Amino acid sequence: MSLPTPVTLPANLPQPRPDDVKSIDSVLSALYGVISGPAGPRDWDRFRSLFLSQARLTSATKNADGTSRVHPMGVEDYAKGAGDYFLQHAFFESPIVNRVQTFGNISQIFSSYESRRAAGEAPFARGINSIQLLNDGSRWWIVSILWDEERSDNPLPKELASKSSADQK
């Protein structure tokens, strides 16, 4: 079996840290790590280096009247919007459980998460990130992230709501 041709980086895409893109676990760790921290700037070049240039980030939620709301963004749109927020607000997001399925050079991860305003504080939000990755033969790329938050009518599934002893190995 031949590996796919490595993706050519556009000239303006930052080079990744090799340890950030060597495995599925390292990409997930880098993703959560780069958006988390006290109020202030984030390393948006590190963030950009994790994604294909055409990648999409999409929030799916419900309005108060129960209608669906979908907000798709490119990587730059997310960095701008979240960057402005993070300059003024601490934000710490960490995975609860990652469920990974891989076929060939693609992987799908359901990653439940908790969001906090301070490390060690009770979460103010939880939800699930649906993350799609591609391995080009030399590294892992984030292709897309689609997420929805937990609500009273949308609780996290039991198997994704808390770490089991198997998840902690």
Side-chain angles (χ1 to χ4, degrees), residues 34-35 37-44 82-91:
V34 78
I35 64 170
R42 300 298 193 263
D43 184 348
W44 292 113
D84 290 345
Y85 178 83
F86 295 154
L87 285 173
Q88 301 298 318
H89 304 279
F91 181 80

Side-chain angles (χ1 to χ4, degrees), residues 121-152:
E121 181 181 275
F124 68 87
R126 298 186 331 158
I128 294 179
N129 288 316
S130 173
I131 304 166
Q132 291 70 49
L133 301 178
L134 166 72
N135 189 302
D136 70 359
S138 63
R139 61 161 287 181
W140 286 95
W141 295 90
I142 300 174
V143 176
S144 65
I145 304 174
L146 171 66
W147 69 93
D148 196 356
E149 288 190 355
E150 183 176 49
R151 301 178 294 281
S152 60

Side-chain angles (χ1 to χ4, degrees), residues 7 13 48-56 75 134 139 141-143:
V7 175
L13 191 61
R48 288 178 191 98
S49 76
L50 303 174
F51 291 84
L52 285 176
S53 58
Q54 309 88 342
R56 302 301 290 168
V75 174
L134 166 72
R139 61 161 287 181
W141 295 90
I142 300 174
V143 176

Side-chain angles (χ1 to χ4, degrees), residues 97-127:
V97 176
N98 292 322
R99 294 284 188 250
V100 179
Q101 293 180 308
T102 300
F103 179 77
N105 61 338
I106 62 172
S107 288
Q108 154 61 40
I109 300 98
F110 254 34
S111 180
S112 57
Y113 65 84
E114 296 177 324
S115 300
R116 294 175 170 78
R117 292 187 177 91
E121 181 181 275
F124 68 87
R126 298 186 331 158

